[in-house]
């Protein structure tokens, strides 16, 4: 029966209405407090959590009784205070990362942020010793040279301390710097034009030409492209099934689902690419359903270094003067040394927007779970406004076809 109290030699176990069990016991030294009517009442200590079974609740009471018998018992309030005094940021943050369900690359990223940016300043401090002034000083000393790293580090610090606040280890989160969790894009992306894309593709190794086309026209990430297999390509429907991605964590390749649920998606291939897709499957793809579309020369997932090609020489100013056969060389021939591979994904988003894709359609195509992420890619294609103006005139003249 809900609410029933089970009597035992030490303490009490009570079944709650929700079916869980609550354990409690009276202060072993007979401590009392005054009730509202002024009468002394014995102090009762409840377990810090409820239990699934009665046996679990009784096991907690047994542990408490052992502490009393050994003379090492202290009140829950004193124990909590002692834990707070011993609990440093380094220890709490480390446990926080380990207890989260994270993708391997995300976990490695958090550990890197802790090791490089947070632990050197806050590691030996107790959680209660981290103050708003201390956070502001740390943030200022990081400087604006690496805005993305600083924003990520601050965001992680704020999230960890928010959890500490919920755990009642601190009374208030000391992270209150407005906008510190956001970063401005340092690299101003200029999408590749269709003419530049044509030159780029023509100068890529033949086995990577389709990969370049799919990056630009379908907006896939590098890790998604390099994990595409025969079974993921539906040539009849013209669909790519994005179900996995490959990342490199601590020097090891990790194949996993995309970083968010939205990343698991079907992407339509523009029809003009289908002849190239079929030709690539015949000439460059390993046999079998699990054959990689874009494998490295060792037959495994293509690495970034193999994609970019080797840089053979630098001049005295450190600029590249010769390129190996790969993306470095191809972008150099296209006169776009500023272009990064990931910028091709941006190119694909701009092309889709120019074709009339809505924000929701862009989110679905790019595999973004929030509008903010897709909005970073939704810029007007160069010359698009002129084309729209021309169409308006055609409407006015009744000549729009």
């Amino acid at each position: 029966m809900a609410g029933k109290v089970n009597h035992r030699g030490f303490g009490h176990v009570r079944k709650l209405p929700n079916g869980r069990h609550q354990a409690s016991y009276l202060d072993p030294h007979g401590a009392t407090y005054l009730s509202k009517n002024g009468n002394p009442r014995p102090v009762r200590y409840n377990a810090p959590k409820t239990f699934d079974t009665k046996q679990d609740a009784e096991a907690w009471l047994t542990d408490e009784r052992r502490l009393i018998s050994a003379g090492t018992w202290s009140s829950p309030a004193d124990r909590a205070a002692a834990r707070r005094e011993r609990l440093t940021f380094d220890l709490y943050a480390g446990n926080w990362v380990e207890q989260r369900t994270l993708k391997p690359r995300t976990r490695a990223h958090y550990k890197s942020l802790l090791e490089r940016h947070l632990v050197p300043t806050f590691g030996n401090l107790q959680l209660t010793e981290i103050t708003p002034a201390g956070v502001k000083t740390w943030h200022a000393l990081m400087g604006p040279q690496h805005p993305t790293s600083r924003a990520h580090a601050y965001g992680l610090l704020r999230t960890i301390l928010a959890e500490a606040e919920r755990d009642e280890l601190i009374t208030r989160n000391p992270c209150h710097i407005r906008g510190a969790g956001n970063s401005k894009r340092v690299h101003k992306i200029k999408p590749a034009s269709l003419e530049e894309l044509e030159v780029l593709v023509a100068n890529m190794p033949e086995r990577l030409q389709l990969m370049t086309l799919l990056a630009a026209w379908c907006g896939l990430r590098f890790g998604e492209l390099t994990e595409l297999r025969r079974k993921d390509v539906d040539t009849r429907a013209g669909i790519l099934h994005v179900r996995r991605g490959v990342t490199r964590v601590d020097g090891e390749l990790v194949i996993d689902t995309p970083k968010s649920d939205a990343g698991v998606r079907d992407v339509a291939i523009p029809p003009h690419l289908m002849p190239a897709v079929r030709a690539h499957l015949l000439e460059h793809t390993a046999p079998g359903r699990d054959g990689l579309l874009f494998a490295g020369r060792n037959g495994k997932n293509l690495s970034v270094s193999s994609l970019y090609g080797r840089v053979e020489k630098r001049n005295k100013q450190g600029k590249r003067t010769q390129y190996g056969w790969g993306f470095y060389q191809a972008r150099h021939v296209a006169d776009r040394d500023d272009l990064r591979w990931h910028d091709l994904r941006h190119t694909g988003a701009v092309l889709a927007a120019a074709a009339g894709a809505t924000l929701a359609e862009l989110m679905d195509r790019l595999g973004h779970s929030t509008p903010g992420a897709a909005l970073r890619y939704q810029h007007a294609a160069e010359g698009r406004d002129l084309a729209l103006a021309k169409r308006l005139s055609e409407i006015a003249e009744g000549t729009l076809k």
Side-chain angles (χ1 to χ4, degrees):
M1 180 187 301
K4 181 179 180 181
V5 176
N6 295 301
H7 296 280
R8 58 197 310 278
F10 171 77
H12 294 271
V13 176
R14 175 170 169 259
K15 189 173 184 179
L16 300 175
N18 63 4
R20 295 181 65 80
H21 296 77
Q22 182 185 58
S24 66
Y25 62 92
L26 299 179
D27 185 281
H29 303 307
T32 61
Y33 70 97
L34 294 179
S35 63
K36 292 182 179 179
N37 58 14
N39 296 325
R41 300 287 300 274
V43 174
R44 178 176 293 276
Y45 300 116
N46 292 322
K49 64 178 182 179
T50 57
F51 302 93
D52 292 329
T53 66
K54 177 183 176 182
Q55 289 74 16
D56 291 338
E58 289 177 340
W60 179 82
L61 287 172
T62 300
D63 292 338
E64 292 295 299
R65 188 172 187 178
R66 287 192 184 121
L67 294 175
I68 296 170
S69 299
T72 57
W73 179 90
S74 60
S75 70
D78 290 341
R79 275 184 258 178
R83 281 197 302 271
R84 285 194 292 269
E85 290 178 0
R86 294 192 305 268
L87 193 57
T88 62
F89 175 81
D90 187 12
L91 179 61
Y92 184 80
N95 290 336
W96 184 91
V97 171
E98 293 301 329
Q99 292 169 3
R100 291 295 175 280
T101 302
L102 303 170
K103 294 288 185 183
R105 189 168 184 176
T106 302
R107 189 182 304 280
H109 179 55
Y110 285 172
K111 287 183 176 180
S112 176
L113 290 174
L114 286 171
E115 181 180 346
R116 297 175 58 190
H117 302 298
L118 297 178
V119 170
T121 299
F122 303 109
N124 293 327
L125 294 179
Q126 298 172 19
L127 294 176
T128 54
E129 294 177 327
I130 302 176
T131 64
V135 173
K136 289 180 181 179
T137 300
W138 162 80
H139 186 264
L141 290 176
M142 278 197 71
Q145 295 84 0
H146 304 285
T148 302
S149 295
R150 181 166 71 161
H152 287 181
Y154 177 84
L156 180 59
L157 177 66
R158 180 180 58 194
T159 301
I160 291 173
L161 293 180
E163 185 76 8
E165 183 181 4
R166 287 190 289 270
D167 288 341
E168 299 182 355
L169 298 172
I170 56 177
T171 57
R172 189 184 180 200
N173 191 334
C175 297
H176 305 296
I177 305 175
R178 186 181 299 273
N182 302 318
S183 62
K184 293 183 179 179
R185 189 184 297 275
V186 176
H187 175 78
K188 187 176 181 180
I189 298 175
K190 178 185 175 183
S193 67
L194 293 181
E195 292 78 11
E196 290 168 344
L197 182 59
E198 183 178 3
V199 175
L200 189 70
V201 172
N203 286 276
M204 288 292 289
E206 187 176 330
R207 63 190 178 90
L208 299 180
Q209 289 180 350
L210 178 65
M211 182 176 172
T212 310
L213 289 168
L214 293 180
W217 287 100
C218 296
L220 268 63
R221 301 176 177 92
F222 174 80
E224 295 169 344
L225 286 163
T226 53
E227 181 48 28
L228 284 177
R229 300 173 185 268
R230 280 185 179 272
K231 63 184 178 183
D232 301 318
V233 185
D234 185 342
T235 54
R236 290 186 179 181
I239 297 292
L240 292 175
H241 302 295
V242 182
R243 298 294 182 266
R244 300 166 310 283
V246 59
T247 56
R248 185 174 292 275
V249 180
D250 297 329
E252 298 292 334
L253 291 179
V254 177
I255 298 174
D256 202 349
T257 56
K259 62 181 182 180
S260 68
D261 291 339
V264 178
R265 63 199 190 279
D266 293 337
V267 180
I269 306 170
H272 74 279
L273 295 185
M274 288 310 301
V277 172
R278 294 188 178 96
H280 182 90
L281 289 171
L282 288 173
E283 299 173 17
H284 301 292
T285 302
R289 284 175 48 81
D290 290 322
L292 288 166
L293 261 67
F294 310 109
R297 297 194 181 279
N298 59 0
K300 298 180 180 179
N301 298 88
L302 183 74
S303 66
V304 175
S305 59
S306 296
L307 169 70
Y308 273 76
R310 294 183 178 181
V311 180
E312 297 179 356
K313 186 178 179 181
R314 292 175 180 267
N315 61 17
K316 293 181 179 179
Q317 288 74 36
K319 295 182 179 179
R320 296 181 177 89
T321 56
Q322 295 183 23
Y323 303 86
W325 199 31
F327 185 66
Y328 279 139
Q329 181 195 41
R331 72 179 188 181
H332 183 64
V333 175
D335 197 23
R336 284 300 308 272
D337 285 345
D338 63 306
L339 194 70
R340 304 174 305 178
W341 178 265
H342 193 71
D343 295 344
L344 294 179
R345 175 170 158 84
H346 184 100
T347 300
V350 172
L351 289 171
T358 65
L359 179 60
E361 289 168 337
L362 275 179
M363 289 174 61
D364 184 60
R365 188 167 181 82
L366 297 173
H368 282 151
S369 56
T370 61
L375 280 171
R376 291 201 302 266
Y377 296 97
Q378 194 179 38
H379 300 292
E382 190 172 343
R384 177 66 175 166
D385 191 49
L386 291 174
L388 291 174
K390 184 177 180 180
R391 290 186 65 189
L392 290 173
S393 294
E394 291 173 346
I395 291 174
E397 297 169 4
T399 60
L400 181 64
K401 295 181 181 180

